[in-house]
Amino acid sequence: KDLRESRAKAVASDIDRDIIGPLLRLNFGEDIRPPTFRFLTEDPTDLVAFSTGVKQLREAGTRIPASWVREQAGIPEPEDDEECLGDLTPQEVAQAEAAALAAQAVAAQGGPPNAGAGSDAPPPPAG
């Protein structure tokens, strides 16, 4: 890791001196202070371990900001109309709405018509 960082600093210094500096002087003159080029050398987040830890903390009742989780995982905030993993399809939304309406109708009638079906109670006598 130290070798990677030292090499990245050396190459970034060369880029500053040999590319960025001359281009800025050519386009903007000598009076401008050039920016410093840097490589990102941090190790990536282990998403499996990170998501497991977040899940365990949530189950323990810890409130975790979604923006922080996205930032740590490197996941951008979705746009309003952007399709996202985990979103329901229009067909799934319609099915969920129909199931909710059916459940409300059954509840309004006092329960499902076969409330005792599947129980261990003996069947009523025929008759």
Side-chain angles (χ1 to χ4, degrees):
K1 182 176 178 177
D2 291 337
L3 180 61
R4 175 181 61 197
E5 289 179 5
S6 65
R7 286 183 178 173
K9 285 180 184 178
V11 172
S13 176
D14 292 344
I15 291 172
D16 283 339
R17 184 190 66 236
D18 299 336
I19 299 172
I20 295 175
L23 285 173
L24 285 174
R25 285 191 296 281
L26 176 68
N27 289 305
F28 301 106
E30 295 288 332
D31 297 335
I32 191 162
R33 180 174 177 252
T36 302
F37 182 85
R38 291 193 180 116
F39 286 102
L40 296 177
T41 58
E42 295 111 21
D43 290 328
T45 302
D46 179 357
L47 290 179
V48 173
F50 178 72
S51 60
T52 301
V54 168
K55 180 181 177 188
Q56 290 173 348
L57 288 169
R58 284 217 29 187
E59 289 171 352
T62 305
R63 295 183 64 215
I64 304 169
S67 60
W68 178 81
V69 173
R70 282 193 182 93
E71 179 185 324
Q72 297 299 311
I75 301 171
E77 184 75 32
E79 300 293 326
D80 290 336
D81 59 344
E82 187 174 13
E83 181 181 359
C84 296
L85 298 176
D87 286 350
L88 296 177
T89 65
Q91 182 180 4
E92 291 170 328
V93 170
Q95 289 173 346
E97 289 173 349
L101 288 174
Q104 287 176 351
V106 167
Q109 295 175 359
N114 298 329
S119 70
D120 291 344

